[in-house]
Amino acid sequence: MKLQLPDRYDPESVEPKWIEIWEKKQSFQPEGKSSENFSIVIPPPNVTGNLHIGHALNHTIQDIIIRIERKKGKNVVWVPGMDHAG
C-alpha cells in the first residue's frame, strides 16, 4: 500500500497533535528559578529567500544576547530556526 501525500500542507490536520505534545513536555518553558523572563524574536525573512552571511551573524548575535541574559539569572528560552518563514 502506497501512502499518498497531499498536494498542499494542511496545518489544521498536523499542528494540533504536535502542539499538544510540545505543551505536555513543556518544550517552550524556560529553565531556571528566576522570576524574570527574557525572550527574543527572530527578524522577518529577507526578500530573496537566499541564505547569506547575515543569517549566521544574526544567530551569533542572538546567541550572545541570550547567554548574557541567562548569566543575569533570567529564565531564557531561545528557539532558533533555520528559516524565518518556515
Side-chain angles (χ1 to χ4, degrees):
M1 182 168 99
K2 290 185 178 181
L3 176 65
Q4 182 65 35
L5 294 175
D7 294 337
R8 295 186 180 116
Y9 174 69
D10 178 20
E12 292 178 2
S13 68
V14 176
E15 292 179 7
K17 169 191 169 185
W18 290 107
I19 290 171
E20 183 178 347
I21 290 170
W22 293 334
E23 286 178 347
K24 281 183 182 176
K25 291 185 174 189
Q26 296 184 332
S27 298
F28 302 106
Q29 296 297 319
E31 295 179 8
K33 297 178 180 165
S34 174
S35 61
E36 191 173 5
N37 297 324
F38 178 80
S39 64
I40 193 165
V41 178
I42 61 174
N46 56 315
V47 175
T48 64
N50 294 326
L51 294 175
H52 52 75
I53 192 70
H55 291 90
L57 175 64
N58 179 33
H59 285 299
T60 302
I61 292 170
Q62 288 182 45
D63 182 51
I64 292 167
I65 293 170
I66 290 298
R67 289 171 188 261
I68 289 170
E69 296 301 322
R70 191 174 285 139
K71 282 188 152 224
K72 290 179 182 177
K74 295 180 183 175
N75 300 321
V76 176
V77 173
W78 179 40
V79 186
M82 295 300 291
D83 174 13
H84 324 307

